Amino acid sequence: MTDWAKREERRELGFYKKRGLCLVRGEGARVYDSQGNEYVDCIAGHGVASIGHNNRYVKEALAEQANRIITCPESFANDTRTQYLDDLAQVTPEGLDRFYLCNSGTEAVEAALKIAVATTGRTRIISTMRGFHGRTMGALTTTWSCTYRREFAPPFPEVLFVPHGDTEALEDVLDEDTAAVILEGIQGEGGIHVASEEYLRAVHGLCERNGALFIADEIQTGFGRTGKWFFSDHAGVVPDLMCTAKAMAGGLPMGAVAGGRRIENLPSGLHGSTFGGNPLACAAASAALGYMRSRDLPARAREMGDWFINQLREIEHPQIRDIRGRGLMVGVDMRGRVTPYLKKLQEGGILALPAGRTVLRFLPPLTITEAELAQVVQTLKDILGEA
Ligand SMILES: Cc1ncc(COP(=O)(O)O)c(C=O)c1O
């Protein structure tokens, strides 16, 4: 543990267990620690740095905006924000073209839940087992794992959990009291479990028939990570509400809810955020989105992801139980706890994340090169060779 990490830990309330390093610089898919060591970054700020670290266009946009105006409440229009909203509507699924801007994933989920209740006049929410939707009280109620929920009484009156991927189980509980069904197309935190396209289409149809809203949580899957702009695009499904955050603004905190045709405009004052849609985040988001579009990063994620998953599948080691994912959202399910592998990967110059107890999760920048991914595969092979 470096001195920086020890000092930081002493000044915090204890929510984060430090991984020893102090990261001081990033460039593309690589980050550097305070001792000058280099790492291939398959954490990317928990899926935030999709366009890579230290992106020139985002830096220039931030500097330009900071020289004009940094903050502007949503009760006034702002040119940068207006332009961003138009840009965003170019990539969201057809018809999802009105937005609420906020500052994080959990805030986007909070807002979507409130919108669902206000729109339908119903209060029951259906979520999925192993699902993760955030840590503020409303979003937390729809998060499955007791690790996150056990200390807190549920603030949402009624949340039911059904198995992810099971249409019949959903059909059994969805009724005229249900305001919304919320789910991730690929469960990230829950272990990289990929929903089938048929399942997404069935969920959408069931919601429509029962007067409930379908909330797609695209916070981790969004902005090209799975090989399309949004995971819902693989199934050709247009959710009623779509939550996004993470990769949106090239590293700056930002989130959004996109609303479709079934969402009418809501009474003013029903919801809001002081920092939501601030010009600085919007300027970064416009630059990040422009970069993703000009380099077709969703296509790149698809191509690189296919290559990476194939290479991982070729390892065929008895310690590997399964390899799952889509695009550059990839999980390697190990027979046993994942923490020792994460530690060894880090020592070997690769940063990766856990997803549950046994899954190694890779969320690299979508700009990562084949050579960098090959380094990840080789390091994992070396570690498994030692095991
Ligand atoms: C699918 C999903 N939903 C919601 C969240 C919460 O986002 P945030 O940490 O920005 O509040 C996350 C974060 O990992 C997530 O992966």
Side-chain angles (χ1 to χ4, degrees):
M1 179 96 92
T2 58
D3 285 349
W4 288 108
K6 283 188 209 145
R7 261 175 71 188
E8 198 169 292
E9 205 167 55
R10 273 203 299 276
R11 285 282 173 211
E12 290 180 344
L13 283 172
F15 294 140
Y16 302 103
K17 194 168 182 314
K18 300 281 177 214
R19 287 179 55 161
L21 311 179
C22 171
L23 300 180
V24 294
R25 193 165 67 80
E27 191 66 50
R30 290 172 189 263
V31 287
Y32 300 84
D33 70 13
S34 52
Q35 285 157 355
N37 299 310
E38 182 181 272
Y39 302 85
V40 176
D41 185 11
C42 294
I43 296 179
H46 294 202
V48 167
S50 280
I51 59 169
H53 294 278
N54 206 14
N55 181 280
R56 176 160 70 89
Y57 300 93
V58 170
K59 285 192 297 187
E60 284 171 6
L62 282 172
E64 196 273 330
Q65 187 63 45
N67 271 319
R68 290 201 291 123
I69 189 166
I70 291 178
T71 192
C72 169
E74 292 246 10
S75 43
F76 296 91
N78 169 262
D79 55 342
T80 305
R81 185 194 301 134
T82 309
Q83 185 57 54
Y84 178 58
L85 292 170
D86 283 349
D87 294 347
L88 186 55
Q90 300 292 311
V91 298
T92 46
E94 184 79 36
L96 284 186
D97 52 11
R98 287 171 304 138
F99 305 96
Y100 163 70
L101 298 176
C102 53
N103 316 286
S104 65
T106 200
E107 279 178 72
V109 170
E110 264 339 292
L113 295 173
K114 285 177 73 177
I115 295 169
V117 170
T119 300
T120 60
R122 306 170 175 185
T123 51
R124 182 181 294 163
I125 306 290
I126 300 177
S127 183
T128 58
M129 293 170 180
R130 291 187 314 237
F132 182 87
H133 301 291
R135 294 172 163 98
T136 53
M137 289 300 259
L140 183 68
T141 330
T142 63
T143 289
W144 164 250
S145 170
C146 303
T147 316
Y148 302 111
R149 278 193 294 133
R150 70 181 155 231
E151 311 288 338
F152 307 100
F156 238 89
E158 243 187 309
V159 175
L160 301 178
F161 290 94
V162 293
H164 189 249
D166 186 338
T167 312
E168 274 175 30
L170 178 62
E171 211 165 354
D172 283 348
V173 294
L174 223 172
D175 63 12
E176 65 283 355
D177 293 329
T178 308
V181 175
I182 181 166
L183 58 86
E184 303 154 84
I186 302 182
Q187 293 184 316
E189 198 73 17
I192 311 290
H193 294 279
V194 186
S196 70
E197 293 168 17
E198 300 77 60
Y199 175 64
L200 286 193
R201 285 195 282 269
V203 173
H204 185 245
L206 281 172
C207 285
E208 214 161 34
R209 281 200 291 288
N210 284 276
L213 300 176
F214 177 22
I215 307 175
D217 181 339
E218 297 261 11
I219 288 163
Q220 199 165 134
T221 48
F223 293 97
R225 176 153 298 281
T226 71
K228 297 257 187 202
W229 280 104
F230 297 94
F231 189 79
S232 311
D233 294 332
H234 290 286
V237 161
V238 180
D240 300 301
L241 292 163
M242 185 173 82
C243 301
T244 68
K246 290 199 187 280
M248 257 187 115
L252 262 77
M254 192 174 202
V257 181
R261 298 280 174 259
R262 292 175 66 203
I263 311 299
E264 300 202 351
N265 278 349
L266 295 152
S268 74
L270 196 75
H271 195 61
S273 157
T274 298
F275 286 117
N278 70 85
L280 203 60
C282 290
S286 262
L289 190 57
Y291 190 83
M292 292 176 195
R293 291 178 81 184
S294 67
R295 279 151 181 85
D296 198 357
L297 289 191
R300 190 180 163 81
R302 193 160 56 238
E303 207 179 299
M304 287 293 157
D306 285 350
W307 186 85
F308 185 45
I309 289 173
N310 283 337
Q311 294 290 308
L312 289 170
R313 290 212 165 114
E314 276 177 23
I315 298 179
E316 282 188 30
H317 190 279
Q319 281 303 311
I320 297 182
R321 195 200 323 253
D322 194 13
I323 291 165
R324 299 186 287 268
R326 196 92 176 246
L328 285 171
M329 183 164 177
V330 178
V332 179
D333 199 348
M334 308 298 293
R335 290 184 205 281
R337 291 190 46 144
V338 83
T339 330
Y341 295 104
L342 287 171
K343 200 160 171 277
K344 285 194 174 159
L345 280 170
Q346 183 167 311
E347 283 160 11
I350 309 294
L351 300 183
L353 277 168
R357 271 168 46 86
T358 62
V359 179
L360 276 174
R361 178 169 34 154
F362 297 94
L363 299 175
L366 311 186
T367 54
I368 195 165
T369 62
E370 197 175 291
E372 285 164 333
L373 285 173
Q375 191 180 331
V376 176
V377 175
Q378 188 55 51
T379 311
L380 186 58
K381 268 189 199 162
D382 294 345
I383 287 168
L384 288 167
E386 288 166 12

